[in-house]
Amino acid sequence: MCNQNTFVYIYKKSEHLIQFYGKILTNVGAVMENNNGLVLVESQQSRSSSLIDSNISQTSEQGDGVTTNNNLFLDKDRAHNFLRGFSKLYRNKEFVDVVLSVDGKDFPCHKNVLAISSPFFMAMFSTDMAESHQDKIALHEIDSLTMELVLDYIYTGQVSLSEDTVQHLLSASNRFQLLSLRTGCAEFMMNHITVVNCIGVYFFAKAHECEILALKAKEIINNQFSVLCKQQEFLSLPADKLVEIVSDDDINVTVEETVFEACLEWVMTEKEKRQNHLMEIMNCVRFANITSYYFCDKIDPNTLLRSCESLRKTLDIVRYYHMLRNRQQEMDLNLMPRQGMLYERGVMIIANPYTEDSLKKFNSMELLLPKTGEVISICKLPQSLYTPGCALTGENQVYLAGGAIRKINYRGSITTEGVSNNFYMFDQLECAWQTKAKMNMCRSQFSLTVVDGYMFAIGGQDGTEILSSVERYDPHSNAWMLVAPLPKALRFMTALSYRGRLYVFGGEASTDVSNSVYRYDPTEDTWTELPPMNIARVLAGSVVYKDKIYVIGGNSALSEKWKREFLPEHCVSSVEIFDPESQTWSPGPELPNALCGAGIVKYGNTILIVGGEDDKSWMAGLCWLKEEKGRQTWAEGQELPTVMSTFGCVVANIHHEAPKNQ
């Protein structure tokens, strides 16, 4: 340790040096200097290679040397003395054959030592580069002090590090490909990261591909965001660097208001210059996670924010989000919580019939975190159920309805004991299900959809026949009432709400698979038939994305296996996009593989596909919709710990303590 901020980095490179130098002696020949210049002496490879390259993995120590199993003597101190000798030659400027010139300062060196230490110099001296024929080489974009430290390391295996020199030295180690020196510099910097310098260290480490150092610095940035966002280094960041920091899910703040205020302060620091970046910066703020009171008092009236037309449109959507909570699935807003908030946002997996854990089959609710693929057990269901209806309200309430009642005996065989008309709401505080009023009809294989705060149970089957009936639940009176039925009986359809109306796509009718589309108007209690899909679909999924309805996958035809066991044999990979305004269809991005029975949700402001099945197997993976340069494609995500298909699937916020309360 030199002083409080300096230490000596020592790399045990002597063995490395003698090994590579030995290879040069073996394969190239000894290089000696005489009055006429450099003379290449013929290599005696056949004899020397037997000594240098011999297998010395099995050795026994004797005194200061080592005798190998081939009775060859190995001097343990030779490597260290070899390096020390080169250091002495460098210090005394003896037998030098090249001069490195940096900022007007000359450094007499040895080509062979530079070459075996650095791939940069090896390439320079062993190819037809102009420098290979020069006695004096000028190096640019490096200062003389840093070059001196680099050469100290090359010739001695150690170098003094300090906070003043370490960044320049790390840059040089990258340039000369001295990876061990780069690691030593990175470790030094990791031990000296503070709230004051963590932003600079993070972007420096990223630029030099020091991933561990970058991760350490980013961890401090995220954990100390509330403090560092007030510092000058944060307020001086260029726009693209600021976006990279404030868009991170892992920022440790308890409320999104902290991020908004930090972004606004950054803009106001140089208002005239930075207001052109206003939309870019404010897009990183998750306005939907800000309380409605703060939004109305501090954000909505802000004249600077309102002066940006594109941002004004976003704020209008946020206002509608706070006013019309049950339409939030229609709005393209980032609802993901930051790391420090009290809840997780994930995909609720309900009554998965294909889980590999027999104790959870049909009767569990689990939380899937798509970012990591982790699945967390939340609680058991009130009953073991197959294809119940599941829905989420704008107040983050999970509802469970109906389903075929399943019983698993101790031998693992499964029997059906009727169809349920029970209806439950999940209480997050108690981590338990509350019983609500029963539906008028027993239903499974149906859709449960929320339209402006009312719950609609649509179609399905009651154990004997496919249903056309539809009923509505009023949470204020805790009562169900029958409304206008579907134009035809359907089960395994997909349904959603959009701008106060209910849309139903496809499904299985009594004799075939439907491609029909129906829209229900609750104010008129009427159904309207809309233009049909191009492909008939059952067990498809649907989601609203950018004011269009995406209908994804499905099974397109009936078969004997389907009729007996609901095993699909005609899955499709196509996606169809419906425009509710023009009532027209267009093709969407083709799936990587055909599937049906998947969970289709909007998550992280894009579309997520969870699990599913085809005619060969059930699936245990995720698939995300990606958009690049206006082109939509699907990208595979995390692998899941178990297969999932034909399960209830909603996106919900759940308190961190909920899994602990089960």
Side-chain angles (χ1 to χ4, degrees):
M1 183 73 70
C2 297
N3 56 47
Q4 185 176 5
N5 295 316
T6 308
F7 76 95
V8 177
Y9 174 67
I10 301 176
Y11 173 51
K12 297 179 180 178
K13 62 173 286 182
S14 52
E15 293 88 349
H16 166 85
L17 187 63
I18 196 170
Q19 179 184 21
F20 279 87
Y21 197 68
K23 288 182 178 179
I24 291 179
L25 292 175
T26 300
N27 299 320
V28 179
V31 179
M32 299 182 297
E33 186 177 25
N34 59 24
N35 293 333
N36 297 321
L38 293 176
V39 178
L40 180 65
V41 181
E42 182 180 358
S43 169
Q44 298 178 355
Q45 181 173 354
S46 60
R47 180 171 61 85
S48 60
S49 63
S50 64
L51 298 178
I52 295 174
D53 296 331
S54 293
N55 181 3
I56 57 173
S57 60
Q58 298 180 6
T59 61
S60 59
E61 295 189 16
Q62 296 180 358
D64 292 332
V66 176
T67 302
T68 73
N69 57 353
N70 292 327
N71 294 322
L72 296 177
F73 175 75
L74 177 65
D75 187 346
K76 293 190 302 180
D77 296 327
R78 180 61 176 164
H80 175 70
N81 292 335
F82 203 60
L83 180 62
R84 189 167 58 183
F86 276 121
S87 176
K88 184 178 179 181
L89 292 178
Y90 170 67
R91 189 169 59 252
N92 295 333
K93 302 178 182 179
E94 296 177 322
F95 305 112
V96 299
D97 55 5
V98 68
V99 175
L100 302 181
S101 178
V102 179
D103 280 349
K105 184 173 182 179
D106 291 343
F107 297 92
C109 300
H110 306 83
K111 285 185 177 181
N112 50 11
V113 176
L114 297 177
I116 61 177
S117 301
S118 162
F120 174 90
F121 288 113
M122 177 64 81
M124 177 182 286
F125 299 140
S126 63
T127 64
D128 291 332
M129 294 176 64
E131 289 86 351
S132 65
H133 306 293
Q134 297 174 0
D135 296 330
K136 187 172 184 178
I137 300 169
L139 297 178
H140 305 286
E141 299 179 359
I142 185 172
D143 62 86
S144 58
L145 175 58
T146 302
M147 192 70 232
E148 183 177 345
L149 293 174
V150 168
L151 292 172
D152 282 347
Y153 167 75
I154 287 176
Y155 277 96
T156 68
Q158 64 184 41
V159 65
S160 296
L161 303 179
S162 71
E163 291 186 83
D164 295 331
T165 62
V166 69
Q167 288 195 14
H168 294 296
L169 190 57
L170 193 151
S171 296
S173 67
N174 248 5
R175 178 181 180 182
F176 298 129
Q177 297 171 267
L178 301 169
L179 301 185
S180 296
L181 178 58
R182 186 181 76 168
T183 299
C185 293
E187 289 175 354
F188 177 89
M189 294 182 70
M190 284 179 65
N191 294 327
H192 292 78
I193 301 176
T194 66
V195 176
V196 175
N197 67 14
C198 59
I199 293 177
V201 170
Y202 170 68
F203 289 109
F204 175 84
K206 280 197 66 182
H208 292 83
E209 299 179 347
C210 294
E211 293 184 8
I212 296 177
L213 179 60
L215 287 173
K216 178 67 175 179
K218 192 61 181 296
E219 180 182 350
I220 295 175
I221 291 172
N222 288 335
N223 288 334
Q224 300 296 325
F225 182 84
S226 299
V227 175
L228 67 84
C229 69
K230 299 178 176 66
Q231 296 177 354
Q232 188 59 40
E233 186 172 19
F234 178 87
L235 297 174
S236 301
L237 283 171
D240 60 327
K241 299 290 192 294
L242 180 73
V243 167
E244 184 172 344
I245 289 177
V246 298
S247 60
D248 198 329
D249 289 344
D250 294 330
I251 294 177
N252 197 344
V253 293
T254 57
V255 293
E256 186 67 19
E257 286 86 331
T258 304
V259 179
F260 165 72
E261 290 171 359
C263 291
L264 186 61
E265 182 64 23
W266 180 89
V267 174
M268 297 303 293
T269 300
E270 296 183 48
K271 180 180 176 182
E272 297 301 321
K273 179 180 177 182
R274 293 178 173 176
Q275 62 183 4
N276 290 334
H277 297 289
L278 189 61
M279 184 63 186
E280 179 186 3
I281 302 304
M282 289 301 167
N283 263 343
C284 301
V285 178
R286 300 168 187 187
F287 289 105
N289 292 341
I290 292 175
T291 66
S292 56
Y293 295 100
Y294 186 98
F295 179 82
C296 290
D297 292 342
K298 299 290 183 69
I299 297 177
D300 206 27
N302 188 296
T303 55
L304 175 64
L305 303 183
R306 282 280 161 195
S307 67
C308 176
E309 182 179 355
S310 54
L311 182 56
R312 187 165 64 248
K313 292 179 180 178
T314 298
L315 297 181
D316 288 342
I317 295 172
V318 176
R319 189 188 309 108
Y320 289 134
Y321 171 85
H322 287 300
M323 293 170 56
L324 309 171
R325 301 285 291 186
N326 284 291
R327 296 188 185 182
Q328 64 179 19
Q329 80 282 355
E330 305 171 18
M331 304 175 191
D332 297 307
L333 296 172
N334 192 343
L335 304 176
M336 297 299 296
R338 307 284 186 173
Q339 181 65 37
M341 296 181 181
L342 296 176
Y343 61 92
E344 294 270 17
R345 186 167 180 83
V347 182
M348 309 303 291
I349 308 298
I350 302 171
N352 178 17
Y354 301 111
T355 179
E356 295 171 14
D357 186 344
S358 58
L359 296 178
K360 295 180 179 179
K361 198 181 292 285
F362 300 111
N363 73 350
S364 66
M365 181 168 73
E366 300 170 294
L367 177 69
L368 165 64
L369 302 177
K371 191 174 181 180
T372 62
E374 182 182 6
V375 176
I376 303 169
S377 181
I378 301 299
C379 69
K380 286 188 173 183
L381 302 185
Q383 298 172 285
S384 293
L385 299 168
Y386 175 62
T387 61
C390 306
L392 182 83
T393 69
E395 301 303 323
N396 197 49
Q397 295 169 326
V398 179
Y399 282 87
L400 173 70
I405 302 169
R406 292 294 172 92
K407 184 176 182 180
I408 306 176
N409 67 23
Y410 70 96
R411 293 181 177 177
S413 63
I414 302 170
T415 57
T416 300
E417 299 189 344
V419 176
S420 172
N421 65 342
N422 291 332
F423 185 54
Y424 305 95
M425 184 186 77
F426 181 65
D427 184 337
Q428 286 206 29
L429 294 178
E430 299 294 330
C431 202
W433 294 94
Q434 294 181 357
T435 302
K436 297 294 183 178
K438 292 185 177 184
M439 294 184 291
N440 292 297
M441 308 285 292
C442 295
R443 300 174 190 269
S444 70
Q445 304 165 10
F446 70 108
S447 289
L448 187 68
T449 304
V450 179
V451 182
D452 290 351
Y454 294 94
M455 203 79 57
F456 286 81
I458 310 150
Q461 65 96 18
D462 62 3
T464 58
E465 63 179 358
I466 299 177
L467 304 174
S468 63
S469 63
V470 179
E471 49 189 306
R472 187 190 72 174
Y473 174 76
D474 184 345
H476 304 291
S477 61
N478 187 32
W480 290 89
M481 64 173 290
L482 290 168
V483 295
L486 284 165
K488 64 179 174 181
L490 294 168
R491 65 177 174 181
F492 284 135
M493 75 290 283
T494 180
L496 52 72
S497 64
Y498 180 74
R499 295 191 178 178
R501 294 176 174 180
L502 174 63
Y503 289 79
V504 175
F505 301 90
E508 180 188 352
S510 56
T511 58
D512 59 5
V513 175
S514 172
N515 67 343
S516 299
V517 179
Y518 301 107
R519 184 184 65 207
Y520 174 74
D521 187 339
T523 60
E524 302 290 336
D525 191 26
T526 56
W527 288 93
T528 301
E529 186 167 2
L530 301 177
M533 298 179 288
N534 292 312
I535 297 176
R537 302 167 189 266
V538 61
L539 275 181
S542 59
V543 66
V544 176
Y545 182 64
K546 295 188 175 180
D547 288 322
K548 304 290 191 299
I549 299 174
Y550 285 61
V551 182
I552 300 169
N555 184 39
S556 63
L558 303 182
S559 64
E560 289 304 316
K561 283 187 177 181
W562 174 265
K563 293 175 182 177
R564 288 197 311 268
E565 305 174 76
F566 298 119
L567 294 178
E569 294 186 283
H570 303 281
C571 292
V572 298
S573 59
S574 65
V575 176
E576 298 188 55
I577 303 175
F578 182 69
D579 184 341
E581 294 298 319
S582 64
Q583 297 185 17
T584 56
W585 288 95
S586 61
E590 195 85 2
L591 296 173
N593 51 271
L595 59 76
C596 70
I600 311 290
V601 294
K602 186 155 65 176
Y603 184 85
N605 211 23
T606 189
I607 299 175
L608 172 65
I609 301 175
V610 181
E613 62 184 285
D614 58 18
D615 60 336
K616 298 179 180 65
S617 62
W618 297 287
M619 299 175 186
L622 303 177
C623 197
W624 300 86
L625 181 66
K626 299 289 186 182
E627 292 196 58
E628 293 181 0
K629 298 179 180 179
R631 181 171 177 265
Q632 294 183 333
T633 57
W634 297 98
E636 293 185 2
Q638 295 287 340
E639 184 176 345
L640 303 177
T642 186
V643 296
M644 299 179 182
S645 184
T646 326
F647 56 94
C649 184
V650 295
V651 176
N653 299 330
I654 191 159
H655 199 282
H656 285 302
E657 297 298 318
K660 302 176 184 178
N661 295 334
Q662 59 175 315

